Amino acid sequence: MDLVKSKKRVADHGEVFTPPEMVEAMIDLVKDESERIDSRFLEPACGSGNFLVPVLQRKLATVELRYGKSDFERRHHALQALMSIYGIELLADNIEECRKNLLENFVAYLGPGAGDEWYAAAATVLRTNIVHGDALSMTTREPKARPIAFAEWSYLGKGRYQRRDFRFDTLTQRASFGAEDTLFADLGGHEIFTPVVDHGSLSVADLAKE
């Protein structure tokens, strides 16, 4: 794997990718969380997914272990695992590559019988969760920048998901984290924040249409 795409990108953006063996060692520091299906991970400079793809792979291994005997549960919990992956990236080509790499891993896990609906639903999740933006200013990289918002996804069971969108700058205002309320947990106390949008209950078919 190349750790540098170009000298210009290094000079302009400080872009240097982390070697895979170092990535795995760093993720091992939070091994239990990286293997928990619904544990949320945010990479504020996600690049092409060097950290996020291995985390997704670990989560999918847990899905297979727990739900491999039921195709319905396996697929829905696999999508839940994908929903727990978040990223922000400054460079547009990296964003597309990150989404592509995560989508390919998800579809490869589901297998050839996944169908277009699952592919489209996963693509919707990734367009929502992997944001082209600036993590420092917490705004999107668009002609007219707007505050970054992230979707809080929850699996309700029986093939239904809940989606509520929260502003990133609001979430980061939570000043302290307890032992069971860390960056890698469920952002405990988030109920004190008001979502900017509540999408209600959604199915895979609903997500595929977006």
Side-chain angles (χ1 to χ4, degrees), residues 129-140:
N129 283 20
I130 309 300
V131 177
H132 185 202
D134 185 336
L136 294 178
S137 66
M138 303 185 196
T139 57
T140 59

Side-chain angles (χ1 to χ4, degrees), residues 31 55-56 70 80:
K31 187 176 187 299
V55 170
L56 176 62
S70 167
Q80 181 189 19

